[in-house]
Amino acid sequence: MKYNFLRIACASPELKVADCVFNSQQIVNSVKEADSKKAEILVFPELCISSYSCSDLFLQNTILESSIKSLLKICAETAKTKILFVVGLPVRFGAELYNVAAFCQSGKILAFIPKSFIPNYSEFYEARWFSSAFKGIKNYIIETEKESISIPFGTDILISSKDGCVKVAAEICEDLWVPLSPSTRHALNGANVILNLSASNEIVGKAEYRKNLVASHSAKTLSVYAYANACQDESTTDLIFSGHSIICSNGTLCAQSELFENRNKIIYADVDIEKINFDRVKTTTFSATDGSYVEITAPSDIGCKSNDDIDLSVLNPYPFVPQDDLKRKERCRAIIDMQANGLAKRLRHTNTKEVVLGISGGLDSTLALMVCNRAFEICGLDKKGINAITMPCFGTSVRTRKNATNLAEALGITFKEIVIKDSVNQHFADIGHDPEVHNIAYENCQARERTQVLMDYSNDGHGFVIGTGDLSELALGWCTYNGDHMSMYGVNTSIPKTLVKYLVQYFADETDNKIIHDTLMDIIDTPVSPELLPLDKDGQIAQKTEDNVGPYILHDFFLYNAVRFGFSPRKIFFLACKAFEKMYDAAFIKKWLVTFYKRFFSQQFKRSCMPDGAKVGTINLSPRGDWRMPSDASSALWTGDLDL
């Protein structure tokens, strides 16, 4: 099974100004090299056959004829390759000259795409030689000794894979920099891969701007955008070129070359077209086709890359957590600001001066408490209005009890301890449950008793109840229905478990209070547990959540790829085996992936009536937002897909 990965490359080969014969041989070498590296699409710089900086030589018949002959030679010498590539050359059509991108594959010229926007300002004088693209599509004829070759000529052309999953369009340099790029129309008409042949000169600060432009445009057009730039072999009469090439996918930088180091160097990126197509389906504004486009099916199929050839070395096993320290810190700050301001709005709207939440000394309730603290600072409220209640019972450890107490006292909030053992034992007696039977009723009685305490304490004039459950627990249904599942506002509902500890870490790093810092760090190091089963003989936590439901790093990986991109279970299994190959074997991953799907489907009823809580990330399971799913949907198709 193929998973719609595509290897795209950008080349900026050595060249000589106005020497089409030399340049074409360098292009042939690059095509063969990229094809040997199993790239499926390759883009070259603008006017690379002639070179971009020919100036008035573009008006010479010699260079125009040589450019066409060189293109035919390139096709002939690459006929045995399967790679789709696009090269630049000047083409005279009628009485006008055009700056053209030529799509080629398997020895054939598939299409000519003329440049739409011709810069004629500052250092650019292209309007001296070239005309802007005309509307519509015409046929350009090349006469050879053996045949007459008809080539579609126009901007509204897509090169498509046989199954239609990959649709490739091209634009040229300035076309990207204008307010309404041709590629915007290309994208609206189905293009999901956009190639840019460029000769963008280098000045101080331009490289960063160029990178951001390509990244943002790929995000705007929901596309893979490959930008190949002319190298330093162009004429330096007045300009310098650096060979700065860039490949981005939906806003993410996949690869880029270093300035002045791309001469004869090819950059590659393996991109996931299925991600792009999923976002296209989900984002229904990408259906505004105007019917003017011509699709040409590629002679040799594209988008059929073997999974064994995919470079997934950069695959992030923690998709919710940036791996770069600085980016992670920035992400944590932004998320906490969103959580706190969401709660602050609810406080102002309800004119509430107090809140109630249960704190256990675990990560989730700690994060909720710290967010409440920040929200009260935003609203200028007395922090004594934060009512933190710890409710120890059969499985509460000394460690978590102490951490809850120390943190509350250090924050200067209102802290209350309510021991619920007697209440729970009375409830056991009322329903005839043997307290020695540690089943689901034994556990959930405690969770519901805690929720009852919080709700009733809230109703006694202490504001509303803050939920502490996180996104990962909601995905797995690892919460007690009408117990910790319920609150009046959930601040953690879109925070995955793998991110929670980094948010708590952020608070620890930001505080000057040693007690708060040390307590938060100890909470981070505490095993994840609901503490509903009795402690072991040494008084330590015996019930560890991940022993029951599996590692949260796996479940968050499954959740992200299933909901964010709609990947099949089989593809998620493939990706997980790659991402976690040094941590878990395939059987272990498959076991917990099956568990994920079974729980994700069977526990939807809890999400269907979950409380309010602001979305702060790309994934949220609220029935009022991103995820609408029937509670009685069957998981059979999904688990069946894993019968490998």
Side-chain angles (χ1 to χ4, degrees), residues 181-293:
S181 300
S183 55
T184 301
R185 284 187 63 243
H186 298 338
L188 289 173
N189 282 273
N192 51 18
V193 176
I194 298 167
L195 310 180
N196 187 305
L197 301 81
S198 182
S200 175
N201 66 305
E202 211 59 58
I203 57 175
V204 174
K206 191 173 183 180
E208 183 68 17
Y209 184 91
R210 184 188 298 119
K211 180 187 72 174
N212 291 337
L213 178 64
V214 172
S216 62
H217 197 66
S218 74
K220 175 184 176 181
T221 55
L222 285 180
S223 69
V224 176
Y225 200 101
Y227 182 100
N229 202 2
C231 74
Q232 55 267 43
D233 286 336
E234 290 285 355
S235 172
T236 58
T237 300
D238 288 298
L239 304 178
I240 297 293
F241 298 86
S242 69
H244 182 211
S245 297
I246 307 160
I247 303 173
C248 291
S249 179
N250 195 9
T252 299
L253 178 66
C254 301
Q256 71 172 325
S257 60
E258 296 295 328
L259 272 61
F260 303 107
E261 291 185 2
N262 197 25
R263 189 167 175 259
N264 280 342
K265 181 181 179 182
I266 302 175
I267 63 169
Y268 300 88
D270 286 343
V271 296
D272 193 334
I273 291 298
E274 190 174 348
K275 286 184 178 181
I276 298 294
N277 289 342
F278 175 83
D279 281 342
R280 289 286 182 86
V281 171
K282 186 177 181 181
T283 309
T284 53
T285 45
F286 277 82
S287 59
T289 179
D290 57 24
S292 66
Y293 275 67

Side-chain angles (χ1 to χ4, degrees), residues 259-546:
L259 272 61
F260 303 107
E261 291 185 2
N262 197 25
R263 189 167 175 259
N264 280 342
K265 181 181 179 182
I266 302 175
I267 63 169
Y268 300 88
D270 286 343
V271 296
D272 193 334
I273 291 298
E274 190 174 348
K275 286 184 178 181
I276 298 294
N277 289 342
F278 175 83
D279 281 342
R280 289 286 182 86
V281 171
K282 186 177 181 181
T283 309
T284 53
T285 45
F286 277 82
S287 59
T289 179
D290 57 24
S292 66
Y293 275 67
V294 170
E295 284 194 26
I296 300 172
T297 302
S300 297
D301 205 10
I302 49 180
C304 54
K305 188 172 184 59
S306 169
N307 298 328
D308 295 334
D309 299 327
I310 301 165
D311 178 15
L312 294 176
S313 59
V314 295
L315 183 63
N316 183 6
Y318 305 93
F320 291 104
V321 183
Q323 297 303 288
D324 178 78
D325 289 344
L326 180 59
K327 288 183 179 178
R328 185 169 61 244
K329 184 175 181 179
E330 292 173 350
R331 177 77 58 84
C332 288
R333 180 190 299 115
I335 289 172
I336 289 165
D337 283 346
M338 285 186 281
Q339 287 179 281
N341 278 281
L343 177 56
K345 164 61 179 178
R346 185 57 56 96
L347 291 169
R348 291 192 297 267
H349 175 71
T350 56
N351 195 29
T352 300
K353 303 296 189 294
E354 293 189 53
V355 294
V356 178
L357 74 161
I359 59 171
S360 64
L363 278 169
D364 288 345
S365 62
T366 296
L367 175 59
L369 175 57
M370 299 305 292
V371 169
C372 286
N373 189 65
R374 180 67 59 85
F376 269 61
E377 290 175 350
I378 293 171
C379 293
L381 297 175
D382 184 350
K383 291 183 181 179
K384 288 297 182 182
I386 301 174
N387 296 276
I389 303 176
T390 186
M391 293 161 280
C393 199
F394 311 121
T396 304
S397 66
V398 172
R399 180 181 186 179
T400 54
R401 195 172 184 175
K402 179 181 178 182
N403 281 337
T405 303
N406 289 347
L407 184 60
E409 291 177 350
L411 289 171
I413 63 176
T414 298
F415 177 67
K416 189 175 185 67
E417 180 177 279
I418 301 175
V419 180
I420 63 170
K421 286 182 180 179
D422 291 344
S423 298
V424 173
N425 278 323
Q426 179 61 53
H427 190 56
F428 287 160
D430 292 342
I431 65 173
H433 177 77
D434 182 354
E436 296 303 316
V437 177
H438 299 163
N439 61 4
I440 192 69
Y442 178 89
E443 295 187 34
N444 285 351
C445 280
Q446 299 172 66
R448 291 196 177 99
E449 178 61 26
R450 288 185 171 118
T451 301
Q452 177 174 275
V453 168
L454 295 174
M455 291 289 183
D456 292 346
Y457 191 81
S458 163
N459 290 158
D460 201 25
H462 297 291
F464 56 82
V465 176
I466 302 297
T468 62
D470 63 48
L471 177 68
S472 306
E473 292 176 343
L474 284 166
L476 295 170
W478 193 251
C479 51
T480 300
Y481 189 82
N482 206 32
D484 56 310
H485 155 262
M486 190 48 60
S487 67
M488 296 167 186
Y489 192 80
V491 295
N492 293 340
T493 54
S494 61
I495 310 296
K497 187 73 78 175
T498 47
L499 184 58
V500 171
K501 72 174 182 179
Y502 291 103
L503 296 172
V504 174
Q505 175 82 55
Y506 177 85
F507 281 112
D509 292 341
E510 292 295 299
T511 185
D512 294 327
N513 187 308
K514 186 176 187 306
I515 295 176
I516 293 176
H517 174 274
D518 292 349
T519 303
L520 292 177
M521 294 306 297
D522 193 61
I523 290 171
I524 290 171
D525 292 335
T526 304
V528 177
S529 171
E531 294 192 327
L532 297 172
L533 296 180
L535 303 172
D536 64 19
K537 58 183 178 59
D538 298 318
Q540 301 300 312
I541 296 171
Q543 183 185 20
K544 296 180 181 178
T545 299
E546 292 177 302

Side-chain angles (χ1 to χ4, degrees), residues 40 75 78-79 81-85 103-110 159 297-302:
E40 294 181 272
C75 288
T78 60
T81 67
K82 294 183 178 180
I83 189 171
L84 173 69
F85 63 93
F103 274 110
C104 308
Q105 190 184 42
S106 301
K108 298 179 180 179
I109 304 170
L110 306 182
I159 309 300
T297 302
S300 297
D301 205 10
I302 49 180

Side-chain angles (χ1 to χ4, degrees), residues 562-577:
V563 174
R564 176 65 183 85
F565 299 116
F567 287 161
S568 67
R570 193 176 291 246
K571 181 170 181 176
I572 294 173
F573 175 69
F574 167 77
L575 293 173
C577 286

Side-chain angles (χ1 to χ4, degrees), residues 46 99 114-121 126-127 130-133 155 171-183:
E46 180 178 9
N99 181 341
K115 189 172 184 176
S116 294
F117 293 91
I118 309 300
N120 213 56
Y121 56 87
E126 289 185 32
F130 297 110
S131 297
S132 298
T155 56
E171 62 183 5
I172 302 174
C173 201
E174 183 76 5
D175 291 347
L176 170 64
W177 301 70
V178 299
L180 184 59
S181 300
S183 55

Side-chain angles (χ1 to χ4, degrees), residues 71 90 101 125 145 298 613:
L71 178 62
Y125 295 92
E145 294 180 359

